[in-house]
Amino acid sequence: MEQFLTFGIVGLSTAAVYAVIGSGLVLTYVTTGVFNFAHGAAGMLAAFCYWQLTVGWGWPVPVALAVVLLVLAPAFGLAVERVLMRPVQRLGEAERLVMTVALLSGAIAAARWIWDPDVPRPLSVFFADKQPFHLGPATLTWHQAITMAVAVAVAAGLWFLLNRTRTGAEMRATVDDRALVRLTGADPVRASRVAWILGTQLATIGGILIAPTVALDASQLSLLIVSAYTAAVFGRLRSLPLTFAGAVVVGCMESYLAGYLPQNPYLPGLRLAAPALLLFLALLLFRHPGLRHRDRRLVQVPAPGLRGTAVFAAATVVAGVVLATVLDEADLVSYGPVFSLGIVALSYVPLAGYAGQISLCQLSMAGIGAVVWGHLGAHGELWALAAAIAASGAAGALIAVPALRFSGVYLALGTAAVTVVLDRWIFTLPAFHLFGLRISLFDQGSVDMSGPDLFGLHLDSAADLTVLAAVCLGLASLSVARLRRSGFGRRLIALRDSEAAYATLGGNLLVTKVAVFALSSGIAGLGGALYGMQQRAVTAEQFNLVAGLPIFLVAVIGGLGAVGDGLFAGTAYLGPNALTGVASWTQNIVTVLPALAGMGLGHSPEGIVARFRRQWEPLGRDLAALPVLLGALALGWVLRLTGAIGGRTFLIGALAAGFALRAWAAARQAPEAEADVPVEWWGVRRPWRPEDGEVLTRATAGR
């Protein structure tokens, strides 16, 4: 009984932290309509700052707490609201969600940059020198008592704020109708600002309270938010009392699992994955109210031309051949995965771009493909590649069945929970037998990979695998383009536009979702298998949630409706690593770049690929500049093959020639006198511009 009470007190103390953090999530969502995936990252940064002030610089604890809670946390909340969230407030829910994911990824990268992750940073609990309390046979420390008291104070303060003050009513009304709030004389911008400040302060309190009891690690502290997610889902993202009840369930479950889980090689990961597993079950079992602030401005997904896509696929293969011949073995290991990771990024196009299903577990599906190939294709059997695609597709279909109940942020939460369960538990399992068949995943280590046998040849060199990955990416891009133009592709677009309308008109939501999840997961599995071949060996850490966030971000930045998004994402993800070869000190800058680019999504919601296409179209149409460029590339390639120039020189020269000739072609095709184009021919005889709509509106209004 004494042990049971002791674990119960530990669980309640942890639950108090989850309740504080979860209440901040609910507050932000209820008052701004934004589910903040970076909420835990704010607490993580606060914990590191608190350590820096108290341990690193020796400041008194009260002064450090005042600086972190009253200066740094409000400043961070204000910056997030003003710089990141306000520009995307007019966009849809997906864009706002992506912005918080970018902030999460950027915060983790920044923390690792500032504070060396290899250096331990222990924090002392509050009043560590004081004698603990004794509640019967159990013991309660001062830190635990303070944590519980803070949770109670936060609950009372938030209830009073939201239900008994004008500011609280203004905050709750803002998310429903910002225009109507303005008519009442309230200020929705001020309400959002207050919500972000308070939410960040609550995350800060939670991060400081829990940091002394866990390792001060950027990823671990940020992903503690999964437990707070579960508490918030218990409260259906609206109810603070139910959020606190959910926090108690999660905290006590973790504590009792730590104390009573049997000693078994298959169960340690279950304790770590339990909050994510409970989150997924809560999403399944609870009825969720309609998502608030659902005004969506969907980006159009035009049907790609098959001829243009075929040219792009051929260019992708040529790019693979060129890279394989101009780069040496070491560089190919670093940059060859541009094509395999590009396939993983391409899997987001049919799933998120066409069908509108937000998934954060695509890299985990790639991990399944990699591990299946590693075990079944150890001797290059080509059928094992089909098995890897099929296994990943089956896993995606399995996820899609319960995901039928999810949409929007709930789907993102559900797929994130799946990734955490796979990473923390399933991928860590030792080999086991199922129905007489031995099942081995990463087997608590790494899986060796080899290349396939194709037409009697064993493809195992870095150059061979780079060309193979480029061919697969070209074929996958062509297949995704044909999918968009097919009847199934049109059904996916209809599903994205309105699930209710799609079902009303006779569409089968279950079949369509299962099919698109299986298809996209199979594509990701192909990319994962090819990536494993190029890396020679893979571990579970390469396919976790934190590793997958940058790939998701660069895919969104490229444009989820563009077939060229795969090649762009692979290039944008690995290309900046060239900076580290020139200057090693740029490594941390490179890790932050995907997050910074994701934060700029509000300025180009349609994606960068569409912008690139418009910018480079003049070069493709110019019968003088294009042959010059092709000739220059061919000459440079020959010089590289003969050893006259180096690989880096060739690539830099190719880029310089491309940009110079593009500028020349654009200048040659520039319209002579746009002022002579009548208004009724705007968009026909000259490109339509965003400001043209405002001009026409003012003209028709007589202003």
Side-chain angles (χ1 to χ4, degrees), residues 330-687:
D331 285 336
L332 282 176
V333 172
S334 300
Y335 304 113
V338 160
F339 302 103
S340 55
L341 292 179
I343 296 174
V344 177
L346 183 66
S347 69
Y348 285 105
V349 173
L351 182 63
Y354 296 171
Q357 307 299 306
I358 303 173
S359 173
L360 298 179
C361 67
Q362 291 305 99
L363 191 62
S364 295
M365 299 299 102
I368 293 175
V371 77
V372 170
W373 169 260
H375 290 295
L376 299 183
H379 302 290
E381 299 88 342
L382 196 58
W383 62 266
L385 191 60
I389 297 173
S392 300
L398 188 63
I399 294 172
V401 175
L404 184 65
R405 291 177 55 89
F406 309 156
S407 64
V409 66
Y410 297 124
L411 181 58
L413 283 171
T415 53
V418 169
T419 300
V420 174
V421 171
L422 289 173
D423 171 45
R424 295 184 176 179
W425 183 26
I426 304 301
F427 284 167
T428 64
L429 290 174
F432 60 93
H433 289 82
L434 182 65
F435 303 117
L437 180 66
R438 185 177 185 273
I439 305 296
S440 178
L441 299 175
F442 290 94
D443 204 11
Q444 298 179 319
S446 63
V447 177
D448 294 330
M449 312 286 281
S450 64
D453 293 328
L454 187 63
F455 304 121
L457 299 175
H458 184 61
L459 307 180
D460 201 44
S461 68
D464 294 340
L465 295 175
T466 298
V467 175
L468 175 63
V471 171
C472 291
L473 176 57
L475 293 175
S477 300
L478 191 59
S479 300
V480 170
R482 292 185 65 87
L483 171 69
R484 172 63 183 87
R485 300 177 65 89
S486 67
F488 182 64
R490 290 190 289 272
R491 289 196 295 273
L492 292 181
I493 296 297
L495 175 69
R496 181 190 77 133
D497 292 342
S498 174
E499 291 188 9
Y502 179 78
T504 302
L505 295 176
N508 191 316
L509 287 176
L510 176 61
V511 171
T512 305
K513 281 193 174 184
V514 168
V516 72
F517 264 90
L519 173 65
S520 63
S521 298
I523 295 173
L526 171 63
L530 293 170
Y531 176 70
M533 297 176 197
Q534 293 178 294
Q535 295 297 300
R536 307 294 182 182
V538 292
T539 62
E541 288 75 16
Q542 293 174 272
F543 303 98
N544 61 24
L545 178 61
V546 175
L549 290 180
I551 298 178
F552 171 71
L553 288 176
V554 293
V556 173
I557 296 162
L560 293 175
V563 174
D565 193 32
L567 181 60
F568 167 82
T571 305
Y573 181 64
L574 291 180
N577 290 337
L579 294 174
T580 61
V582 178
S584 59
W585 57 268
T586 60
Q587 181 176 357
N588 290 313
I589 299 176
V590 169
T591 60
V592 179
L593 285 179
L596 294 178
M599 294 174 191
L601 177 67
H603 302 289
S604 183
E606 65 177 348
I608 295 178
V609 172
R611 179 184 297 182
F612 279 1
R613 186 186 301 116
R614 290 194 299 268
Q615 292 176 345
W616 289 86
E617 274 180 350
L619 178 59
R621 294 193 301 262
D622 196 300
L623 298 181
L626 184 59
V628 172
L629 176 62
L630 296 178
L633 293 178
L635 176 61
W637 190 20
V638 171
L639 292 175
R640 172 64 186 106
L641 293 179
T642 58
I645 61 175
R648 293 180 184 272
T649 302
F650 168 77
L651 293 178
I652 294 173
L655 290 175
F659 280 104
L661 290 171
R662 188 203 71 177
W664 181 45
R668 281 163 47 86
Q669 300 175 32
E672 296 181 357
E674 291 187 354
D676 297 333
V677 179
V679 174
E680 59 270 20
W681 289 100
W682 289 0
V684 179
R685 293 184 178 175
R686 72 160 175 83

Side-chain angles (χ1 to χ4, degrees), residues 123-461:
L123 264 176
S124 300
V125 298
F126 291 117
F127 300 107
D129 55 340
K130 298 284 187 180
Q131 290 295 324
F133 303 99
H134 293 283
L135 301 178
T139 301
L140 180 68
T141 66
W142 278 86
H143 187 88
Q144 292 170 333
I146 291 174
T147 302
M148 296 178 190
V150 168
V152 173
V154 166
L158 287 179
W159 181 89
F160 182 82
L161 171 68
L162 294 176
N163 296 280
R164 290 293 185 269
T165 66
R166 175 178 174 80
T167 300
E170 184 180 279
M171 292 164 64
R172 287 185 289 111
T174 296
V175 70
D176 291 327
D177 195 325
R178 296 175 72 88
L180 185 60
V181 168
R182 288 191 182 94
L183 294 177
T184 65
D187 185 356
V189 174
R190 180 183 60 194
S192 297
R193 189 182 301 127
V194 172
W196 279 104
I197 290 175
L198 290 178
T200 305
Q201 286 180 313
L202 291 175
T204 297
I205 293 172
I208 292 175
L209 288 174
I210 203 169
T213 62
V214 297
L216 201 57
D217 176 77
S219 296
Q220 182 177 350
L221 276 176
S222 297
L223 293 184
L224 281 173
I225 193 66
V226 172
S227 301
Y229 289 165
T230 308
V233 168
F234 265 82
R236 305 183 185 184
L237 300 182
R238 297 189 181 193
S239 171
L240 289 175
L242 289 179
T243 298
F244 274 68
V248 172
V249 172
V250 177
C252 291
M253 177 194 67
E254 288 184 350
S255 181
Y256 286 124
L257 282 178
Y260 294 105
L261 199 65
Q263 296 296 321
N264 186 300
Y266 302 97
L267 295 181
L270 175 60
R271 182 180 64 84
L272 299 176
L277 189 60
L278 185 60
L279 169 61
F280 193 81
L281 293 176
L283 288 168
L284 282 178
L285 298 177
F286 294 164
R287 287 179 59 87
H288 305 294
L291 293 174
R292 313 190 73 176
H293 207 69
R294 292 300 303 273
D295 54 319
R296 299 187 300 166
R297 300 187 181 184
L298 297 175
V299 178
Q300 291 186 353
V301 183
L306 293 182
R307 179 180 299 178
T309 306
V311 172
F312 170 77
T316 301
V317 175
V318 170
V321 174
V322 170
L323 281 183
T325 53
V326 303
L327 297 181
D328 56 26
E329 188 81 8
D331 285 336
L332 282 176
V333 172
S334 300
Y335 304 113
V338 160
F339 302 103
S340 55
L341 292 179
I343 296 174
V344 177
L346 183 66
S347 69
Y348 285 105
V349 173
L351 182 63
Y354 296 171
Q357 307 299 306
I358 303 173
S359 173
L360 298 179
C361 67
Q362 291 305 99
L363 191 62
S364 295
M365 299 299 102
I368 293 175
V371 77
V372 170
W373 169 260
H375 290 295
L376 299 183
H379 302 290
E381 299 88 342
L382 196 58
W383 62 266
L385 191 60
I389 297 173
S392 300
L398 188 63
I399 294 172
V401 175
L404 184 65
R405 291 177 55 89
F406 309 156
S407 64
V409 66
Y410 297 124
L411 181 58
L413 283 171
T415 53
V418 169
T419 300
V420 174
V421 171
L422 289 173
D423 171 45
R424 295 184 176 179
W425 183 26
I426 304 301
F427 284 167
T428 64
L429 290 174
F432 60 93
H433 289 82
L434 182 65
F435 303 117
L437 180 66
R438 185 177 185 273
I439 305 296
S440 178
L441 299 175
F442 290 94
D443 204 11
Q444 298 179 319
S446 63
V447 177
D448 294 330
M449 312 286 281
S450 64
D453 293 328
L454 187 63
F455 304 121
L457 299 175
H458 184 61
L459 307 180
D460 201 44
S461 68

